[in-house]
Structures are given as C-alpha cells and as structure tokens.
Amino acid sequence: MANCIFCKIASGETPANVLYEDDAILAFADINPQSPEHILVIPRKHVENAAALSAEDVNLVGSMVAAANKLAEDRGIAADGYRLVFNVGRHGGQAVDHLHLHLLGGRQLGWPPG
Ligand code: AMP
Ligand code: ZN
C-alpha cells in the first residue's frame, strides 16, 4: 500500500535491520526500542491490524507468533520470558496501520501497561 512505512520495509524500499524473512513475513528491529530486545514481526501483505484479519489471514498470525518465538530463542531471551503484543487502534496505542507483532524482552516488563 502506498505511503505505508511497513510495506516499504517489506519491499526493501526503506531500510531496516531485518532479522528474519520468508515469503510471507518479515521481522526487524524496532527503531525506537522499549526494551533491550524489541523486534517487530509483520506480514508482507498489508493488513491494517489484528481487528482487520480475514479468515485467510489466520495462518499468517500463527506464522508471525512462531517466528517471534524462534527469535526469542535465538536471541537468548526465551528462558526468562518475553511479551508479544498487538496494539489495535488509537486506544490500543497503534501508530502504524500495518499489522505488526511486538516482541519485547531482555528485562522485567511492567504490568499493567500504561
Ligand atoms: P505501534 O505503536 O504498535 O503502531 O508500533 C509501531 C512501532 O513501529 C513503534 O514501536 C515504532 O518505534 C516502530 N517503527 C516506526 N517506524 C519504524 C521504522 N522505520 N523502522 C523500525 N521500526 C519503526
Ligand atoms: Zn502496509
């Protein structure tokens, strides 16, 4: 989708620190990390957010979670635990309207979120 920053990262038009990619999804370092490890996992396909998922996208989300779990293992934060987050809409704190899964870890995270 034109003018979508994450579509541009997926196409390679905008650079990112890509940590994993396959035909359907991409993972890259968050530009403004909120924890020692902060990675975003996105589908290459433009989907606005988790609320906009169609039935055919359900497998996509499974792949995104599996990729995040693998990255957590590979980057050594899995044993201590981590957080997977989908922000949805304005009250959810969603700033980029292209579906993305946050992988946060590497420190004790607070709860509830602010
Ligand atoms: P959200 O608030 O859930 O929409 O999260 C959007 C995330 O995208 C934020 O954590 C931003 O720091 C991150 N972000 C925005 N632009 C970029 C970019 N060009 N490269 C990497 N991360 C980005
Ligand atoms: Zn997009």
Side-chain angles (χ1 to χ4, degrees):
M1 176 173 275
N3 292 325
C4 171
I5 183 68
F6 287 178
C7 281
K8 288 179 177 171
I9 288 174
S11 72
E13 185 182 339
T14 296
N17 181 7
V18 175
L19 303 169
Y20 173 79
E21 61 183 317
D22 63 27
D23 288 352
I25 65 178
L26 193 76
F28 53 91
D30 195 294
I31 204 167
N32 183 25
Q34 301 301 310
S35 50
E37 292 288 338
H38 187 174
I39 295 167
L40 301 174
V41 185
I42 68 168
R44 291 186 183 278
K45 171 186 177 183
H46 183 90
V47 176
E48 187 179 345
N49 60 30
L53 285 168
S54 63
E56 70 183 32
D57 297 328
V58 169
N59 289 339
L60 203 54
V61 173
S63 300
M64 291 166 67
V65 171
N69 290 339
K70 175 78 164 50
L71 281 161
E73 286 285 349
D74 291 350
R75 298 177 75 83
I77 61 169
D80 285 333
Y82 51 94
R83 189 168 294 166
L84 301 178
V85 178
F86 287 106
N87 292 328
V88 180
R90 298 286 86 87
H91 276 191
Q94 184 179 5
V96 177
D97 290 335
H98 180 129
L99 179 66
H100 51 281
L101 175 61
H102 293 261
L103 163 61
L104 296 143
R107 67 169 171 83
Q108 179 65 56
L109 299 169
W111 190 265

